Amino acid sequence: MMKYVIGVDLGTSAVKVLLVDQKGAVVAQASQPYPLAQPKPGYSEQDPEDWMRGVTAAIHELLAKTDVAPTAIEGLSYSGQMHGLVLLDAQGNVLRPAILWNDTRTTAQSAEITAKMGAQFLAITRNRPLEGFTLPKLLWVKENEPAIFAQAASFVLPKDYVRYRMTGHLEMELSDAAGTVMLDVAGKKWSDEICEAFGIPTSLCPPLVEATKQVGTLTPAYAALSGLDPATAVFGGGADNACGAIGAGVLQPQQAMCSIGTSGVVLTYEPDATADYHGHLHLFNHAAPNAFYSMGVTLAAGYSLSWFKHTFAPDEEFTPFVNSAATSIPGAHGLLFTPYLVGERTPYADAAIRGSFIGVDSKQTRADFVRAVLEGITFSFRDILEIYAANGKAFKQLVSIGGGAKSPLWLQMQADVFNTPIVRLTSEQGPGLGAAMLAAVGLGWFATLQDCAAQFVQVKQVYQPDPAAVTQYQKLYDCYRDVYPATKNLTARLIDFQ
Ligand SMILES: Nc1ncnc2c1ncn2[C@@H]1O[C@H](COP(=O)(O)OP(=O)(O)O)[C@@H](O)[C@H]1O
Ligand SMILES: O=C(CO)[C@@H](O)[C@H](O)COP(=O)(O)O
């Protein structure tokens, strides 16, 4: 009898669930969106209850789409949006809305961490204390909501909360824990030094669990609610970018991926923790055992496109809207866009920068604006590749995943802007597939994630750079690079008018 696993990808815009068989075929998938609240400029929050509603509804939809018996689904694991702070009281109740990875209210706390620990912080956590990471969020709650902080008994990350609700086991998984910047990344343990320096009781930090470790099974109550079998084995899961890398087969040195979700990421596998990008890129524990990955992050990648669509074409379908950019040309008839809608992380750690359209001309059409948005997002990924290049790393190809990888036009644009072949997989659901692979390996179906990738990760097409477009895009990228310094002070002054 064929056996199955489920990968639950708890994204920022939606939860995606994948039912995958032992051969790696995605036999069914379902998705449920949830809202994102921005109560003030720079704030970004979600209600963990919305995640639970979304996950359960998506599992119902998944089961309804197939006649696979729940008892044939042997395991389930997760991929989760990173860094989001979920504060729990002693009974496991959520104390306030989750503060997400793209929330930048924490500039003062980030500066405070740098002032206090500086280079030592980078040496322990292998990262700079950027606004999006969890420790500055914890400090923000401690300083601004002391009554809530006083009630906190533990904190978890988004997918760890969902796993807790499904199994009753409260743990934090290692690859995601790295993104709290409270971890000794090379030592794979909580840093007592950091907790002590910032007055965070170590009792708040839950036990750590590895990605392929079984934490338990579903509670009878959640099994009854979801329609899954109570014996379903539940595994730790991973940070969405770690899972995206696994689902893209990025499991060897020199392999790299580009992910266009709500955020945008360029990531490469690091076999050990010796890589040193001096804090210009993140370095985290991989969900693959004893490995690491480095990455740069564009805060508003797919989010910029979604913002543009819901603002100017709310009633159109995504695919024709994106395809309308084909009627424009490289450079969008002289229009450039920078995707700094919520500030930026890589290469500019700047919560105050905002996006811009430069070169608006009366001959331009809406298609030019769509094209400029796609190009601006893609140039922001090129910025990350330039950091890798400055550190001696050039990639032979990049595997492209995430919602943005649905678009052939955007995939070709990536090949042209990066002057690098772009690999499209049979499914763009890299993080969800990675989550399913963690369950498959946890169940012992494969000895290693690499063995599992050889079976599960299938290439659909490779997009080769077009030399004429590469030349055009090089000139345009040179202009793009000049937009940040020219708009930094100007857009910061406009924030007061928001
Ligand atoms: N047909 C499409 N073509 C190109 N991009 C798309 C398409 N549909 C959605 N997207 C982009 O994909 C993004 C969502 O990607 P996804 O990987 O699901 O994100 P997340 O995991 O953050 O929820 C959206 O912000 C949107 O810009
Ligand atoms: O903050 C980061 C990585 O450091 C983001 O990449 C989040 O992990 C959200 O991912 P998506 O929802 O865009 O997949």
Side-chain angles (χ1 to χ4, degrees), residues 45-325:
E45 299 186 341
Q46 274 175 337
D47 179 355
E49 212 46 53
D50 284 338
W51 299 332
M52 289 313 302
R53 270 192 287 273
V55 170
T56 308
I59 292 173
H60 282 158
E61 196 186 323
L62 188 78
L63 294 178
K65 279 182 175 172
T66 126
D67 44 19
V68 169
T71 47
I73 304 171
E74 293 203 328
L76 178 149
S77 194
Y78 308 86
S79 157
Q81 51 162 299
M82 299 171 69
H83 317 297
L85 174 66
V86 185
L87 268 182
L88 303 177
D89 70 11
Q91 285 72 46
N93 300 311
V94 173
L95 284 165
R96 72 174 319 291
I99 308 180
L100 302 195
W101 59 275
N102 52 359
D103 184 300
T104 54
R105 75 183 74 175
T106 47
T107 301
Q109 289 70 31
S110 300
E112 188 185 318
I113 298 168
T114 305
K116 195 158 193 177
M117 282 189 85
Q120 198 192 355
F121 188 87
L122 182 60
I124 297 171
T125 69
R126 308 305 314 277
N127 292 282
R128 283 189 288 164
L130 304 179
E131 281 91 346
F133 299 159
T134 324
L135 174 60
K137 301 181 196 308
L138 262 179
L139 297 182
W140 185 91
V141 176
K142 192 172 171 222
E143 287 166 27
N144 294 278
E145 297 176 346
I148 287 180
F149 192 79
Q151 292 177 65
S154 59
F155 79 102
V156 280
L157 300 166
K159 64 108 177 47
D160 298 310
Y161 177 72
V162 171
R163 194 182 57 237
Y164 164 58
R165 288 282 297 273
M166 289 168 78
T167 64
H169 294 274
L170 188 70
E171 275 129 351
M172 195 184 288
E173 176 278 325
L174 184 72
S175 67
D176 232 0
T180 63
V181 289
M182 294 164 68
L183 207 66
D184 165 354
V185 161
K188 302 207 294 189
K189 57 180 195 302
W190 292 112
S191 166
D192 292 338
E193 220 170 336
I194 288 176
C195 287
E196 199 175 308
F198 299 104
I200 304 291
T202 48
S203 57
L204 282 190
C205 304
L208 295 168
V209 65
E210 296 259 357
T212 53
K213 174 98 186 355
Q214 184 178 345
V215 301
T217 52
L218 297 174
T219 62
Y222 192 78
L225 183 70
S226 61
L228 292 171
D229 188 79
T232 312
V234 179
F235 298 88
D240 60 0
N241 290 299
C243 288
I246 292 168
V250 173
L251 288 161
Q252 307 282 348
Q254 308 302 326
Q255 292 180 332
M257 74 166 198
C258 164
S259 159
I260 308 179
T262 305
S263 67
V265 164
V266 178
L267 174 157
T268 191
Y269 179 92
E270 305 281 356
D272 52 44
T274 57
D276 189 0
Y277 301 98
H278 314 287
H280 296 301
L281 296 172
H282 312 342
L283 187 85
F284 293 133
N285 304 78
H286 209 311
N290 301 317
F292 299 82
Y293 65 93
S294 56
M295 68 173 173
V297 177
T298 291
L299 283 185
Y303 186 68
S304 291
L305 182 67
S306 297
W307 159 77
F308 189 78
K309 198 192 95 57
H310 78 67
T311 307
F312 299 107
D315 301 325
E316 277 179 49
E317 290 295 316
F318 233 107
T319 302
F321 171 77
V322 172
N323 287 345
S324 69

Side-chain angles (χ1 to χ4, degrees), residues 468-483:
V470 168
T471 307
Q472 284 294 85
Y473 278 129
Q474 181 58 49
K475 291 183 201 151
L476 289 157
Y477 176 64
D478 291 341
C479 296
Y480 173 88
R481 293 235 282 197
D482 288 342
V483 180

